[in-house]
Amino acid sequence: MTLYASLLFLHLLAATFWVGGMACMHFAVRPSAVARLDPPQRLPFMTAALGRFFDGVTAAIVVILVTGLAMVFGRGGFGAAHWSVHAMFTLGLVMMAVFGHIRWAAYPRLQRAVASSEWKAAAPALDGIRRLVAVNLGLGVAVYGIATIGRVL
Ligand code: HEM
């Protein structure tokens, strides 16, 4: 019981870091950077901030997967799991695939454009990342709803 509660604690900590971090980037950091900084300052700043955040998300994903699967298999496997856990797992995998695309396809494009001071290429690359982060933020909120409200339905 204590083990299960500890796994749930770590699971929620990691999920909160990921979803809360996306909300902070989307609603606070990026709009402030747009309002206060010109492209030659804003684009390197956002690239650095996103790089640090993405390292944290990579670690959070490992924790979410390990703790989530440990809870599932500690309670009899997927066959015994509530539909809300199946939905959480499926949407969680979709979120991870979207993150993988951001981190290993879209973000390197942004890094290359910023490294060569090509602001006209960097701006759309950053905008593409903003859209994908917004998609994952929406999915993350849906997963929270499914995990908490869905489990009693
Ligand atoms: C992708 C693999 C994932 C697996 C295998 C998984 C599995 C689980 C399991 C087994 C529980 C415990 C359910 C219970 O005790 O009733 C749980 C709880 C929870 N998970 Fe996940 N999860 C995953 C991803 C995620 C993601 C991506 C998020 C958020 C974005 C998330 C948010 C939550 C929340 C909020 C709870 C608490 C539900 C509650 O106790 O009321 N999970 N998860």
Side-chain angles (χ1 to χ4, degrees):
M1 213 53 202
T2 316
L3 175 63
Y4 191 91
S6 305
L7 290 170
L8 186 58
F9 165 70
L10 292 174
H11 190 77
L12 291 181
L13 203 60
T16 303
F17 172 84
W18 189 6
V19 178
M22 288 192 290
C24 181
M25 278 289 173
H26 194 74
F27 292 117
V29 178
R30 187 190 161 275
S32 306
V34 169
R36 299 283 177 140
L37 302 172
D38 291 329
Q41 284 84 44
R42 180 173 79 241
L43 292 159
F45 167 75
M46 286 303 299
T47 305
L50 286 171
R52 284 171 181 266
F53 176 54
F54 291 160
D55 287 346
V57 173
T58 304
I61 285 175
V62 172
V63 172
I64 289 171
L65 265 180
V66 169
T67 55
L69 290 173
M71 286 188 288
V72 169
F73 289 105
R75 290 218 166 155
F78 277 105
H82 192 257
W83 70 262
S84 63
V85 172
H86 288 263
M88 175 168 15
F89 183 52
T90 306
L91 287 180
L93 291 182
V94 173
M95 287 176 68
M96 289 168 200
V98 171
F99 173 74
H101 179 79
I102 296 174
R103 177 63 188 82
W104 286 286
Y107 183 68
R109 269 200 297 276
L110 174 66
Q111 275 182 313
R112 281 194 296 275
V114 166
S116 49
S117 304
E118 288 172 15
W119 312 129
K120 286 214 156 64
L126 181 59
D127 200 53
I129 291 175
R130 177 188 65 81
R131 284 164 202 264
L132 290 172
V133 168
V135 168
N136 256 0
L137 180 55
L139 286 173
V141 171
V143 173
Y144 264 81
I146 288 166
T148 52
I149 303 168
R151 78 200 287 251
V152 296
L153 296 179

